[in-house]
Amino acid sequence: MDRIYLDYAATTPVDQRVIDEMIPYFRDIYGNPSSIHFFGQKAEGAVENARERIKNLLNCHKYDIIFTSGGTESDNLALRGVALNERKKRNANKILISSVEHDAISTTANQLKIYDGFEIIELRVDNYGLIDQSFFESQLNEQTAIVSIIYGNNEIGTINPIEHFVKECNKKGIPFHTDAVQALPHIKVNMESSGIDLLSFGAHKFYGPKGVGALIKKKGLNLIPQNTGGKQEEGYRAGTHNVPYILGMTKALEILTEEKDLESRRQKILRDQLINFVINNIRGAYLTGDPVSRLPNHASFVFDGIKGNELLISLDIDGFAVSAGSACKVGLAAPSKVLLKIGIDEKLAMGSLRVTLGKNTLEGDIDKFERSLRKIIDQLRRTTDG
Ligand SMILES: *Cc1c(COP(=O)(O)O)cnc(C)c1O
């Protein structure tokens, strides 16, 4: 059976050109970048070359690039590292996050509350997942250690107009972080002109390897490292560099920069075809997230009277790999926190589906998926109704 992958928000296959870029750094240029000898210097040169290439691609010469093990670690380092430092520096004890963050931010914030006594303010969102701007402004003061707002939402696809939040934070000198793990693969990022203080991304969401990412951080903004040890990354992140993966991520970012415009436009057309089909042909189907300010590859729904897990399993049997919204495991039958926060009731939230497109998605794949989805939803409803 031909299987069709429609879960690019979970992860993406590694581009062959990225694999080719990485191979020599496993086999030939295998030195430790911190070593003095020839082998070490070769590896160090490669890492510094990667850093320069990324700075050019994202226009962030006034920033540090801190290489990490992925989006999760970057989110952790930004939130915990800056919060702890700002408290030490100016006694700021409040952390502002949106109520629809990825677990990498929300769980970290919760730990900072329980073990470090920070006050966490959750910025409420509207039915599309957009942050209430006046509430945000009312919460911003000298007590605020850091603001962290997700750029493109992994579950509902909503893109937040982060320029506005950045501007307010810049005015008041409050560090602003954004989790751009989903947004970077689709949105043009120019760090210098954005004013963003900290931005997180991970390579495996744009056809790079898993287990590598970066935190981009404005120079001069300090943070307390969470990985302590050697002097790598100016002490911000100790541990021997993953040289092949760093080079692979850099190559993936170069390819992305070249292909992003065209690919995002192509995927958006297929995504809109799918959304229109579902809304017009399946009764009791609703789009979740913002219909307009939305990641171009992202379609997410809830279906009345459907259990998301059963839907996923049936689609998998039919050959389609999709998701319930987050990396929710079958068996853990709890409704998504994000869906509840945008005002979807608990019962409806159980019937969630996320379909995310990528470079290998063809029009024919979407046609086949639409047919299978309609058939399965009919079948599931017949079994529950009867
Ligand atoms: C995937 C994802 C993460 C986690 O990134 P990893 O590289 O898998 O650790 C964080 N935030 C968002 C929005 C994501 O989609």
Side-chain angles (χ1 to χ4, degrees), residues 308-320 372 375-376 379-380:
N309 282 343
E310 290 177 10
L311 179 58
L312 286 199
I313 292 164
S314 302
L315 283 166
D316 188 46
I317 292 168
D318 245 15
F320 298 95
S372 171
K375 179 196 73 185
I376 287 169
Q379 284 168 351
L380 290 175

Coordinates of all heavy atoms in Angstrom, one line a residue, residues 308-320 372 375-376 379-380:
G308 N -11.2 11.6 18.2 CA -10.0 11.9 17.4 C -9.1 10.7 17.2 O -8.6 10.4 16.2
N309 N -8.9 9.9 18.3 CA -8.0 8.8 18.3 C -8.5 7.7 17.3 O -7.8 7.1 16.6 CB -7.9 8.1 19.7 CG -7.0 8.9 20.6 OD1 -6.2 9.7 20.1 ND2 -7.0 8.7 21.9
E310 N -9.9 7.5 17.3 CA -10.4 6.5 16.4 C -10.2 6.9 15.0 O -10.0 6.1 14.1 CB -11.9 6.3 16.7 CG -12.1 5.5 18.0 CD -13.6 5.4 18.4 OE1 -14.5 5.7 17.5 OE2 -13.9 5.0 19.5
L311 N -10.4 8.2 14.8 CA -10.2 8.8 13.4 C -8.8 8.6 12.9 O -8.6 8.1 11.8 CB -10.6 10.3 13.4 CG -10.5 11.1 12.2 CD1 -11.3 10.4 11.0 CD2 -10.9 12.5 12.4
L312 N -7.8 8.9 13.8 CA -6.4 8.7 13.5 C -6.1 7.3 13.1 O -5.4 7.0 12.1 CB -5.5 9.1 14.6 CG -5.4 10.6 15.0 CD1 -4.1 10.7 15.8 CD2 -5.3 11.4 13.7
I313 N -6.6 6.3 13.9 CA -6.3 4.9 13.7 C -6.9 4.5 12.3 O -6.3 3.8 11.5 CB -6.8 4.1 14.8 CG1 -6.0 4.4 16.1 CG2 -6.8 2.6 14.5 CD1 -6.6 3.9 17.4
S314 N -8.2 4.9 12.1 CA -8.8 4.5 10.8 C -8.1 5.1 9.6 O -7.9 4.4 8.6 CB -10.3 5.0 10.8 OG -11.0 4.4 11.9
L315 N -7.6 6.3 9.7 CA -6.9 7.0 8.6 C -5.6 6.3 8.4 O -5.1 6.1 7.3 CB -6.7 8.5 8.9 CG -7.9 9.3 8.7 CD1 -7.7 10.7 9.3 CD2 -8.2 9.5 7.2
D316 N -4.9 5.9 9.5 CA -3.7 5.2 9.4 C -3.8 3.8 8.7 O -3.0 3.5 7.9 CB -3.1 4.9 10.8 CG -1.7 4.4 10.8 OD1 -0.9 4.9 10.0 OD2 -1.4 3.4 11.5
I317 N -4.9 3.1 9.0 CA -5.2 1.8 8.4 C -5.4 2.1 6.9 O -5.0 1.3 6.0 CB -6.4 1.1 9.0 CG1 -6.0 0.7 10.4 CG2 -6.9 0.0 8.2 CD1 -7.2 0.3 11.3
D318 N -6.0 3.2 6.6 CA -6.2 3.6 5.2 C -4.9 4.1 4.5 O -5.0 4.4 3.3 CB -7.3 4.6 5.1 CG -8.6 4.1 4.4 OD1 -8.7 2.9 4.2 OD2 -9.4 5.0 4.0
G319 N -3.9 4.3 5.2 CA -2.6 4.7 4.7 C -2.2 6.2 4.8 O -1.3 6.7 4.2
F320 N -3.0 6.9 5.7 CA -2.7 8.3 5.9 C -2.1 8.6 7.3 O -2.8 8.3 8.3 CB -4.0 9.1 5.7 CG -4.5 9.0 4.3 CD1 -5.5 8.1 4.0 CD2 -4.0 9.7 3.2 CE1 -6.0 7.9 2.7 CE2 -4.5 9.6 1.9 CZ -5.5 8.7 1.7
S372 N -11.0 9.5 1.6 CA -10.8 8.6 2.7 C -11.4 9.2 4.0 O -12.2 8.5 4.7 CB -9.4 8.3 3.0 OG -9.2 7.5 4.2
K375 N -15.3 9.1 3.9 CA -15.8 7.7 4.1 C -15.6 7.3 5.6 O -16.6 6.8 6.2 CB -14.9 6.8 3.2 CG -15.3 5.3 3.3 CD -14.2 4.4 2.7 CE -12.9 4.4 3.6 NZ -11.8 3.6 3.1
I376 N -14.5 7.6 6.2 CA -14.2 7.1 7.6 C -15.1 7.9 8.5 O -15.7 7.2 9.5 CB -12.7 7.3 7.9 CG1 -11.9 6.3 7.2 CG2 -12.5 7.2 9.4 CD1 -10.4 6.5 7.2
Q379 N -18.5 6.3 8.4 CA -18.5 5.0 9.1 C -18.5 5.1 10.6 O -19.2 4.5 11.3 CB -17.2 4.2 8.6 CG -17.3 3.6 7.2 CD -16.0 3.1 6.8 OE1 -14.9 3.3 7.4 NE2 -15.9 2.4 5.6
L380 N -17.6 6.0 11.1 CA -17.5 6.2 12.5 C -18.8 6.7 13.1 O -19.3 6.3 14.2 CB -16.4 7.1 12.9 CG -14.9 6.6 12.7 CD1 -13.9 7.7 13.0 CD2 -14.6 5.4 13.5

